[in-house]
Amino acid sequence: MIIIGLTGRNASGKTTAAEVLAARGFTSVSLSDVIREEARQRGLSAVRENLIALGNELRERHGPGALAQLTVARMLPDRNYAVDSIRHPAEVRALKEAGSASFSLFHVFAPLEARFARSLARQREGDGATLEAFIQQEEREFASSNAAAQQLLETERLADRVIDNDGTLDEFTARLTATLQMLQVASARPSWDQYFMDIARTVATRSNCMKRQVAAVIVSDRRIISTGYNGTPRGVKNCNEGGCPRCNSFGESGKNLEECLCSHAEENAIVQASYHGIAIRDATLYTTYSPCLMCSKMIINAGIRRVVFSEAYPLSDTATGMLKQAGVDLVKLKTHA
């Protein structure tokens, strides 16, 4: 997923930039959409003053990055996004966390006189009708002692690129396109290890264990041949429905493990392969947590040659030592930058 954030002053061309990016395959969204939705629910007109006040209120209530966080929650991982109306550094941080290395903030810049002329031409309700009113209106967005209010100047300073919009639409479009090409966004593809670990994390959402959601994916020749997540065995009431007394009592981690009815993710992935007659010798196992001792013995005896994990299991020192002794390549996946 590639996320291009758009910030800039009133009538600088942020919406036009979003439209240009939309024509190039990006899904265009605006942080103001969240505010406009709130305004509709309250029966308020979507004039600039109302939107600013509502935006500040939402940031005060839910945190300064709330608008971006609400927008990110609606994003789909298989799309690229152009995000308009970014006016607070916390919003930049929230989008950067969602897009990781594939996030860039564009500051769309246009001279004051050009912006005022555009503002008059679009005749949007609530915009300043005189140059003095226009300047006073936008200066209220520049900075504030209120941490939840708009902090446009500080947000502009965080920009990765400045896109000048002081000419024709064709010139602006050419500059945007050239900037996209400079980003070399194709390099943001995940590694194979990251790709399969991301799939494992999705598999983990199917876990029915009350204590911890874990998943494993077995891969051979870059092809998934088996998956598994932790939970009670086939035909036994799900853990989250009361099937495992130990898990549902939320006892201390690492104790009374012999009373746990849940099968581990690695165990289930290996057993599922056996159940369906699929060979896993020399395969790679991806697991969201490093294997326990029992699962490590199964991994070794199943002939799996490589284990990639995301987080270390608290009781895994003996297990990891045994895996290494048996010649299994044990790799901790580096987290996203």
Side-chain angles (χ1 to χ4, degrees):
M1 178 171 61
I2 301 163
I3 301 176
I4 302 296
L6 299 169
T7 191
R9 303 182 188 183
N10 189 16
S12 61
K14 301 183 298 297
T15 301
T16 301
E19 291 169 352
V20 170
L21 293 171
R24 282 148 181 77
F26 286 76
T27 298
S28 177
V29 296
S30 173
L31 300 192
S32 296
D33 292 342
V34 176
I35 307 174
R36 289 190 176 94
E37 184 177 316
E38 183 74 15
R40 282 194 298 270
Q41 292 176 355
R42 298 190 188 188
L44 299 174
S45 60
V47 298
R48 190 173 187 82
E49 293 299 323
N50 284 348
L51 295 179
I52 291 173
L54 280 176
N56 293 347
E57 180 186 329
L58 289 171
R59 293 187 191 96
E60 287 176 351
R61 191 190 312 163
H62 303 293
L67 301 182
Q69 291 162 355
L70 289 168
T71 301
V72 166
R74 304 174 184 178
M75 290 181 175
L76 301 174
D78 60 345
R79 297 185 185 180
N80 298 327
Y81 287 89
V83 183
D84 188 8
S85 300
I86 300 171
R87 296 186 174 91
H88 197 287
E91 295 166 350
V92 177
R93 288 192 292 272
L95 291 165
K96 188 168 297 219
E97 289 172 3
S100 188
S102 298
F103 172 79
S104 289
L105 180 65
F106 290 4
H107 172 198
V108 181
F109 173 81
L112 172 62
E113 293 77 9
R115 292 189 292 105
F116 177 58
R118 292 171 190 164
S119 176
L120 290 178
R122 71 187 182 187
Q123 297 182 330
R124 183 178 294 173
E125 185 181 1
D127 281 354
T130 66
L131 180 59
E132 181 181 3
F134 182 83
I135 293 172
Q136 291 176 346
Q137 193 175 61
E138 75 170 13
E139 283 181 347
R140 291 197 290 271
E141 304 177 25
F142 285 169
S144 173
S145 58
N146 180 359
Q150 296 186 22
Q151 310 282 345
L152 188 56
L153 293 181
E154 187 61 31
T155 304
E156 290 176 351
R157 294 188 187 101
L158 298 175
D160 301 292
R161 299 283 192 283
V162 177
I163 315 296
D164 288 327
N165 185 19
D166 53 1
T168 66
L169 176 59
D170 287 343
E171 290 171 337
F172 184 48
T173 299
R175 289 168 185 163
L176 266 174
T177 303
T179 304
L180 283 178
Q181 293 168 345
M182 289 172 56
L183 290 178
Q184 297 179 337
V185 293
S187 62
R189 291 178 69 197
S191 67
W192 283 108
D193 281 350
Q194 186 65 62
Y195 170 71
F196 288 119
M197 187 62 72
D198 288 343
I199 292 174
R201 292 192 180 102
T202 300
V203 174
T205 63
R206 280 289 301 166
S207 167
N208 64 67
C209 182
M210 292 293 294
K211 293 278 285 184
R212 193 195 307 262
Q213 292 185 313
V214 185
V217 172
I218 300 177
V219 174
S220 180
D221 295 326
R222 294 178 179 172
R223 181 172 63 91
I224 295 173
I225 56 178
S226 184
T227 66
Y229 50 82
N230 61 327
T232 47
R234 183 184 286 110
V236 176
K237 183 187 292 186
N238 286 336
C239 180
N240 59 1
E241 297 171 342
C244 178
R246 177 187 175 273
C247 290
N248 281 268
S249 69
F250 289 96
E252 187 176 345
S253 296
K255 293 188 176 181
N256 302 320
L257 296 177
E258 69 281 357
E259 298 177 6
C260 183
L261 301 187
C262 291
S263 298
H264 289 191
E266 303 93 327
E267 175 187 1
N268 274 333
I270 292 170
V271 170
Q272 283 298 311
S274 175
Y275 184 85
H276 293 287
I278 300 171
I280 58 176
R281 182 176 179 180
D282 297 327
T284 296
L285 184 143
Y286 293 87
T287 178
T288 52
Y289 281 86
S290 57
C292 70
L293 183 60
M294 177 190 70
C295 290
S296 295
K297 289 186 283 187
M298 295 183 69
I299 287 167
I300 293 168
N301 286 338
I304 291 171
R305 289 302 172 199
R306 186 168 181 261
V307 173
V308 181
F309 67 96
S310 179
E311 301 292 336
Y313 184 66
L315 307 173
S316 64
D317 289 346
T318 302
T320 55
M322 185 176 63
L323 287 167
K324 292 177 181 178
Q325 181 182 345
V328 176
D329 185 17
L330 188 63
V331 178
K332 186 181 189 306
L333 187 66
K334 292 182 180 179
T335 57
H336 289 294

